[in-house]
Amino acid sequence: MSQMLKAVIFDLDGVITDTAEYHYLAWKALGEELDIPFTREFNEELKGISRMDSLEKILVLGGRENDFTLEEKKILADQKNVHYCRLIEDITPADILPGIKELITKLKADGLKLGLASVSKNAFTVMNRLELTSQFDTIVDAAKVLKGKPDPEIFLTAAKQLNVDPSNCVGIEDAAAGVDSIKGAGMLAVGVGNSETLAKADLIYPNTESISLSEIRNSFENK
Ligand code: B16
Ligand code: MG
């Protein structure tokens, strides 16, 4: 029996706006300070991963996982966040990625609910600066989520807050960990970005501009 599409749950960084690039720049600067340079390829592994877990991955990459106390790690993570917050200071609605505003308008015209499932503790600030907060029916508070992506908790929480069964939801993500989270929640997964990185998604688009609601509906009806 085919399910009805009732809600679309968005990731923020890398889907609604290009803050994924700012996370990369801020981590890269910290990495260099710690003598742990890393590539964009390694950065793919940080996408969708919480602040402290990202720091751990960087320290492991540099073989420095035992060099810092928890207190020191918190200071390093804060330092990255201060840098990131500076980078997002000037973002405006002009920084919404191409096609996303149009997609939101279509979804709302079709009576679908909109949710946000970002593990970023800066998500409310970014959504406010993009002037998108009022367009969304729910925004999950990352501070209240116990298990980050790839665990399904955040997408399941968004569905619960929307009062929609996960089987009636689609999730949109730019990170492999996020696609795993969506699939684990039992939702249809739309990936935006590299088709190899996002291979587990049900539908993959190279960029936000090419996301097609009619294709999503087709995929949804045939799943
Ligand atoms: P913060 P998303 C994630 O956001 C980012 O992809 C990831 O790079 C970042 O480390 C994480 O948020 C935590 O962000 O340090 O601002 O709390 O992709 O789930 O929207
Ligand atoms: Mg993301």
Side-chain angles (χ1 to χ4, degrees):
M1 201 185 75
S2 68
Q3 301 277 353
M4 240 181 72
L5 176 61
K6 293 185 182 165
V8 178
I9 302 173
F10 288 79
D11 169 49
L12 174 62
D13 297 318
V15 171
I16 290 180
T17 186
D18 202 10
T19 36
E21 183 65 14
Y22 296 145
H23 281 295
Y24 167 65
L25 293 174
W27 281 128
K28 193 171 145 62
L30 184 74
E32 277 162 11
E33 223 175 276
L34 299 173
D35 263 331
I36 314 175
F38 62 83
T39 59
R40 276 188 185 270
E41 196 186 349
F42 172 77
N43 184 62
E44 284 300 315
E45 290 178 36
L46 304 181
K47 286 188 179 171
I49 304 296
S50 74
R51 201 178 304 164
M52 279 310 268
D53 288 352
S54 298
L55 176 64
E56 287 294 346
K57 276 182 181 273
I58 292 167
L59 294 178
V60 168
L61 175 76
R64 302 202 62 186
E65 64 272 32
N66 299 317
D67 290 3
F68 303 95
T69 63
L70 183 60
E71 272 317 298
E72 287 167 336
K73 285 180 190 173
K74 281 186 183 151
I75 292 168
L76 292 175
D78 276 353
Q79 191 183 322
K80 179 265 174 179
N81 191 50
V82 168
H83 185 181
Y84 175 73
C85 288
R86 246 195 350 258
L87 294 173
I88 61 169
E89 233 162 46
D90 296 330
I91 68 171
T92 70
D95 294 299
I96 297 171
L97 282 167
I100 292 293
K101 258 195 169 159
E102 294 78 358
L103 178 62
I104 290 174
T105 305
K106 266 194 219 154
L107 295 173
K108 291 182 83 72
D110 283 7
L112 297 171
K113 287 189 177 173
L114 266 69
L116 190 83
S118 168
V119 297
S120 172
K121 293 188 173 133
N122 295 295
F124 289 102
T125 308
V126 173
M127 288 294 278
N128 285 339
R129 294 203 177 134
L130 296 174
E131 295 175 15
L132 282 179
T133 307
S134 63
Q135 303 284 312
F136 278 66
D137 299 287
T138 200
I139 295 176
V140 177
D141 182 353
K144 294 195 181 131
V145 173
L146 299 177
K147 293 182 233 137
K149 299 167 188 174
D151 191 277
E153 182 184 352
I154 191 157
F155 278 92
L156 288 174
T157 305
K160 199 170 174 197
Q161 288 180 189
L162 289 171
N163 208 12
V164 174
D165 192 87
S167 64
N168 297 113
C169 298
V170 162
I172 309 183
E173 262 289 347
D174 69 319
V179 168
D180 284 342
S181 175
I182 298 172
K183 296 302 292 175
M187 301 176 186
L188 188 98
V190 174
V192 183
N194 184 290
S195 55
E196 277 167 36
T197 313
L198 303 170
K200 289 193 209 153
D202 299 290
L203 267 175
I204 305 171
Y205 293 103
N207 50 49
T208 49
E209 213 168 4
S210 47
I211 300 174
S212 152
L213 180 56
S214 54
E215 270 175 19
I216 293 175
R217 280 194 184 283
N218 265 342
S219 227
F220 200 86
E221 278 151 25
N222 297 318
K223 82 174 166 141

